[in-house]
């Protein structure tokens, strides 16, 4: 009789709910200098004489529960603008290409999964500062390796080179330094086919913009694509992309990424 009662209870019991493991995060590394960190909406406040972000976040840059950001203290949080506020902390950050990139990817592919953005860009940096052994390179590797514990590398978005337009030797050596950086990073991240989408300069403070652009457009490496930012509207300083330009750039990067 007891066994009969037990069988009856089991038959009417609620099914056991199994918790599925959290899906792996699709890791996107963001590196380079100020136009990757984001200066969209940053303006000179004539009253305080300081650079200030206007706080305007367009629809393409709005937060999404499926878009995370790795903070400076290596914690995953929901991403929001400005992405690099605690990374490029000595500068005033605004809108960059990271959020419009991620939102565009999810809009085009709703089943893509969770995106984890890893901000690493620092304004005003030269390609030589991103070489193996230098602080910025080692920080980039450290943050990327930590992120890897939660997911899988999907790509690095790279926008840098403005600082290398000021010196002829820097411009002439740019291509070799860039290729060495890409190769070293892939080796240290143990991802020899890591997709890299770099941006060809839209601007630069020096006289050697075209030399750097040529190096970027003709990198000629496997799994490296180049998106050309030339012609995107710039802010009053003639150097940094406006918020609408950053949205456009993020969408361009997303389309290049989805084409892999």
């Amino acid at each position: 009789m007891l066994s009969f009662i037990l069988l009856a209870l089991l038959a009417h019991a609620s099914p056991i709910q199994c918790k599925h493991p959290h899906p792996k995060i699709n890791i996107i590394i963001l590196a380079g200098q100020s136009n990757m960190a984001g200066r969209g909406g940053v303006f000179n406040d004539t009253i305080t004489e300081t650079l200030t972000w206007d706080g305007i976040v367009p629809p393409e840059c709005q937060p999404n529960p499926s878009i995370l950001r790795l903070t400076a203290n290596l914690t995953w949080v929901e991403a929001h603008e400005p992405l690099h506020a605690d990374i490029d902390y000595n500068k005033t950050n605004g809108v960059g290409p990271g959020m419009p990139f991620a939102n565009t990817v999810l809009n085009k592919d709703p089943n893509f999964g969770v995106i984890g953005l890893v901000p690493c860009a620092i304004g005003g940096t030269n390609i030589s500062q991103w070489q193996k052994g230098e602080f910025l390179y080692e920080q980039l590797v450290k943050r990327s390796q930590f992120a890897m514990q939660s997911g899988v590398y999907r790509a690095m978005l790279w926008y840098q080179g403005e600082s290398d337009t000021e010196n002829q030797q820097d411009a002439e050596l740019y291509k070799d330094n860039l290729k060495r950086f890409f190769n070293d990073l892939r080796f240290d991240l143990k991802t020899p086919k890591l997709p890299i989408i770099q941006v060809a300069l839209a601007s630069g403070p020096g006289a050697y913009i075209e030399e750097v652009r040529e190096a970027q457009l003709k990198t000629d490496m496997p799994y490296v694509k180049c998106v050309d930012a030339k012609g995107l509207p710039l802010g009053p300083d003639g150097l940094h992309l406006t918020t609408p330009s950053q949205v456009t750039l993020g969408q361009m990067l997303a389309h290049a990424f989805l084409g892999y």
Side-chain angles (χ1 to χ4, degrees):
M1 182 67 178
L2 181 59
S3 60
F4 175 79
I5 294 173
L6 289 172
L7 287 171
L9 288 172
L10 287 172
H12 291 86
S14 299
I16 298 173
Q17 298 295 321
C18 296
K19 291 185 178 180
H20 296 284
H22 192 282
K24 284 192 173 183
I25 297 173
N26 295 288
I27 299 166
I28 304 292
I29 303 164
L30 309 176
Q33 52 184 115
S34 56
N35 272 317
M36 176 56 74
R39 300 293 188 263
V42 174
F43 67 98
N44 185 28
D45 189 325
T46 56
I47 297 176
T48 62
E49 292 299 325
T50 58
L51 291 175
T52 305
W53 178 45
D54 62 18
I56 298 174
V57 180
E60 298 88 348
C61 303
Q62 292 294 325
N64 183 319
S66 293
I67 304 175
L68 306 180
R69 177 181 76 91
L70 188 66
T71 66
N73 64 1
L74 303 179
T75 302
W76 288 111
V77 299
E78 185 172 323
H80 62 79
E81 298 286 9
L83 287 176
H84 281 76
D86 61 344
I87 302 297
D88 195 14
Y89 56 85
N90 286 322
K91 308 287 175 58
T92 301
N93 293 273
V95 173
M99 288 301 290
F101 165 86
N103 275 310
T104 300
V105 170
L106 294 180
N107 287 336
K108 295 291 184 181
D109 184 1
N111 298 317
F112 186 78
V114 176
I115 295 176
L117 301 174
V118 183
C120 299
I122 301 292
T125 52
N126 189 285
I127 188 65
S128 63
Q129 295 175 264
W130 292 93
Q131 297 301 302
K132 186 179 178 69
E134 297 293 332
F135 176 78
L136 294 181
Y137 178 89
E138 300 304 326
Q139 282 293 107
L140 169 59
V141 171
K142 175 186 174 182
R143 288 175 55 76
S144 300
Q145 288 176 337
F146 181 87
M148 181 62 172
Q149 298 175 24
S150 304
V152 58
Y153 298 128
R154 296 302 302 269
M156 178 175 75
L157 309 184
W158 172 255
Y159 191 168
Q160 188 277 334
E162 291 93 341
S163 294
D164 294 273
T165 68
E166 298 183 276
N167 180 281
Q168 183 176 1
Q169 186 176 22
D170 289 343
E172 291 174 350
L173 295 174
Y174 190 83
K175 186 174 183 178
D176 288 341
N177 286 331
L178 183 67
K179 295 176 76 170
R180 185 182 306 111
F181 164 60
F182 288 167
N183 282 325
D184 286 341
L185 184 65
R186 284 171 165 172
F187 179 82
D188 286 337
L189 297 185
K190 298 179 173 59
T191 311
K193 295 182 180 180
L194 174 70
I196 297 173
I197 307 173
Q198 67 167 325
V199 181
L201 295 182
S203 60
Y208 302 99
I209 297 175
E210 289 307 316
E211 286 81 353
V212 174
R213 278 179 47 80
E214 183 177 6
Q216 294 168 333
L217 291 166
K218 297 181 180 180
T219 303
D220 299 326
M221 291 179 66
Y223 308 103
V224 174
K225 289 185 177 182
C226 189
V227 168
D228 196 349
K230 187 174 185 179
L232 291 178
L234 303 172
D237 62 5
L239 184 63
H240 295 111
L241 299 181
T242 64
T243 294
S245 293
Q246 288 285 14
V247 170
T248 299
L249 178 61
Q251 293 169 336
M252 291 166 64
L253 289 166
H255 292 146
F257 169 75
L258 292 170
Y260 267 107

